[in-house]
Amino acid sequence: MNRYEEIKKIADRYYNGIENDENRALCFEHSQAVADCAKEIAEKEKYNPELVQIAGYLHDCAQYLEHGHHHAFRSSVMARDMLVSSALFSTEEIHRIMNSIARHSDKDRVDGICDEILKNADLLARKRCGDELSDAAMERIKNYL
């Protein structure tokens, strides 16, 4: 089994603990959609699809599990714990994934390629699910529509 599938199994144990059926379903749907979009964008941009796919699946874990402020940072911490417990990733890979997750909500700022792929995947997944996006968000993802 590949590393994405292993991390997905770990995350799914957390996600299955979400008590509200609707929130649990939204968590699984959005996490998978962002992971899929991240992989798609990474392949187009010739970047490591595995790392951004993992970041995509974990990027909102605290949003659904803890419901509070600063979900991007809290999600990066939760992701770190999952990644470390898996013993499948180098320290550099863990930091890259964590940083992308921590920065994914700041779409007005331009960061590294891994971060930008995750930000764009989050927007693209929302657009494909029928969400209305701002003009700035649409401009950001226009090359992926």
Side-chain angles (χ1 to χ4, degrees), residues 14-51:
Y14 286 90
Y15 297 166
N16 278 319
I18 299 170
E19 291 184 17
N20 181 288
D21 292 342
E22 185 176 338
N23 284 346
R24 186 173 50 257
L26 284 171
C27 174
F28 279 113
E29 179 183 332
H30 181 64
S31 298
Q32 187 64 60
V34 174
D36 293 345
C37 288
K39 182 179 179 188
E40 176 185 325
I41 293 170
E43 288 170 347
K44 184 174 185 172
E45 299 295 333
K46 302 198 182 339
Y47 186 79
N48 184 331
E50 181 191 44
L51 292 183

Side-chain angles (χ1 to χ4, degrees), residues 45-61:
E45 299 295 333
K46 302 198 182 339
Y47 186 79
N48 184 331
E50 181 191 44
L51 292 183
V52 291
Q53 186 179 29
I54 290 165
Y57 199 75
L58 301 177
H59 82 287
D60 273 349
C61 57

Side-chain angles (χ1 to χ4, degrees), residues 36-94:
D36 293 345
C37 288
K39 182 179 179 188
E40 176 185 325
I41 293 170
E43 288 170 347
K44 184 174 185 172
E45 299 295 333
K46 302 198 182 339
Y47 186 79
N48 184 331
E50 181 191 44
L51 292 183
V52 291
Q53 186 179 29
I54 290 165
Y57 199 75
L58 301 177
H59 82 287
D60 273 349
C61 57
Q63 177 77 13
Y64 294 101
L65 293 167
E66 296 179 359
H67 306 292
H69 298 292
H70 310 294
H71 85 277
F73 173 76
R74 289 189 345 275
S75 292
S76 75
V77 172
M78 290 181 74
R80 179 199 62 211
D81 294 343
M82 290 183 228
L83 296 166
V84 168
S85 74
S86 77
L88 296 171
F89 299 87
S90 70
T91 301
E92 180 186 333
E93 290 172 320
I94 291 170

Side-chain angles (χ1 to χ4, degrees), residues 75-133:
S75 292
S76 75
V77 172
M78 290 181 74
R80 179 199 62 211
D81 294 343
M82 290 183 228
L83 296 166
V84 168
S85 74
S86 77
L88 296 171
F89 299 87
S90 70
T91 301
E92 180 186 333
E93 290 172 320
I94 291 170
H95 285 292
R96 187 172 304 150
I97 293 167
M98 281 181 61
N99 286 338
S100 294
I101 293 171
R103 295 176 181 147
H104 85 271
S105 292
D106 191 358
K107 302 210 175 42
D108 292 332
R109 177 179 146 169
V110 176
D111 293 297
I113 186 151
C114 186
D115 308 346
E116 293 305 301
I117 290 171
L118 180 57
K119 292 175 190 182
N120 292 336
D122 191 21
L123 292 171
L124 184 59
R126 289 176 37 209
K127 176 67 177 165
R128 288 181 177 172
C129 287
D131 290 358
E132 287 291 322
L133 299 180

